[in-house]
Amino acid sequence: MEFTQMIEPMLAAGPDAALEAALAECAREPIRVPGAIQPHGVLLSVAGNPLCIEQVSANCANELGLDSDALLGRPLSLLLSPEQATIIENAYHHPAAPHIDPIRLTLGSAHYSASLHRTDDVLIIELEPFVEAGHEQSRIITRVLRNLQAATTLETLFDISVHEIQALTGYDRVMIYRFEPEGHGKVVAQALTGLLPSYSGLNFPGSDIPAQARELYRLNWIRVIPDATYVPVPLIPTLRPATGQPLDLGFSTLRSVSPVHCEYLKNMGVRSSMSISLLDGGELWGLIACGHPEPLLVSRELRDACAMIGQLLSVKISAIVATDIQREREEKVVLLGQLADAMSRADHEILDGLVSRPELLQSLTLADGVAVLIDDRVHLFGVCPTTEQVSGFGTQGWHASGRRSERQACRVWVFFIPTPCTRSIPKARPTEMSRAA
């Protein structure tokens, strides 16, 4: 369905309703089975014994010199040399490895980079023009990998990644987009030549990338759109002859993308894009998102190098995050020890030690302010609400907790004021501390 056909009925309901309807439609779209590919390559699907061609992309006549009638139902071996046919046969008969490294195929006088992957009982072969990697390109890739390996902080890692991938591919804007726990994304690094607007530091709603699209990013290291204004190339026949079902293109590099996404790119002034997945523990951590205002086709060989960079970056992110978490835990243990020591050294009342080191409380929670309420005594440190507000909050909490028993000599509330601080009491995070008489 064309984007305009999809969106026109929604617009009639008003802008807010149209937005909600468009987002819902996008989330429901069967993006794994579009029945079409992008036009920068050719797709063949083969199955059976011997391997015969089940489906082809409609551009096979222009690209291969053979139309669908000449290909469908024919043994694949008729197109290939015996050596190449053996490689394809071996790939088909090893379904435990759904992704097979790209191979070089020769059809007639043309050379292709062939991506192979197995889905169900079908082997999908995707052909793109073969491009020999030059010496300079190999040197740059080696340097990038070495620099990434040496990085010890996320900031350094991100900065190296975006600038090197930009230099390697020629995209105008390369940014690292990190998914937050709430589902939205934030741009945490960017390399920009100036043609496209800067998105550095901006947040994007979670609905920009629906759950099903995120799952495909998790399963595939890289996705490319050389020209977002392309006309999809349908598969012939539309459905698999053996099953009557659409061909699953979830792992396809040529898969035609949602028209909603193409319109999204257009609205951002992007004509071509490439996305590299970043994983942490097998889950989608973020993306390296590349954009360009003009059509740009990055060769399969260069995309493989970018995917390798994404894989190394993912490993480094996991390692650095784990190191940072461990360091923070160790620092908090030290802070807790110092706080316990201060409380034990208090001259008269142990709780006096709690308020004698407010900087420890702030450091423990990364708060801009700390308010400590001990019965009717209020102690404010840093950026805090007023004494009256803190007292009122403590009273509300007191009533919610019921009357104190005889064994409870006092009730202590500690409020940590997050950044940015506001005067709104619900923004505070209360932690109740009690002690027996």
Side-chain angles (χ1 to χ4, degrees), residues 165-187:
I165 288 178
Q166 184 185 57
L168 198 59
T169 61
Y171 282 102
D172 178 69
R173 181 178 61 214
V174 178
M175 56 188 183
I176 291 182
Y177 181 94
R178 181 185 67 205
F179 293 114
E180 303 292 353
E182 298 82 5
H184 65 275
K186 181 176 182 179
V187 178

Side-chain angles (χ1 to χ4, degrees), residues 148 151-163 176 178 188-190 285 313 317 320 324 327:
L148 288 178
T152 57
T153 67
L154 289 179
E155 291 76 12
T156 302
L157 194 66
F158 296 160
D159 187 66
I160 292 172
S161 300
V162 294
H163 285 92
I176 291 182
R178 181 185 67 205
V188 295
Q190 178 182 261
W285 180 93
L313 183 55
I317 287 172
I320 291 175
D324 289 346
R327 184 178 64 252

Side-chain angles (χ1 to χ4, degrees), residues 397-398 401 408 411-416 429-434:
W398 183 277
S401 302
Q408 290 178 308
R411 181 65 63 94
V412 180
W413 289 84
V414 181
F415 303 99
F416 301 106
R429 298 193 299 269
T431 300
E432 183 182 354
M433 298 176 61
S434 302

Side-chain angles (χ1 to χ4, degrees), residues 83-114:
E83 295 79 9
Q84 293 175 338
T86 298
I87 293 173
I88 302 296
E89 288 279 355
N90 289 338
Y92 178 78
H93 292 294
H94 290 82
H99 295 281
I100 296 94
D101 290 339
I103 61 174
R104 181 174 176 176
L105 291 183
T106 300
L107 299 177
S109 60
H111 302 294
Y112 297 93
S113 177

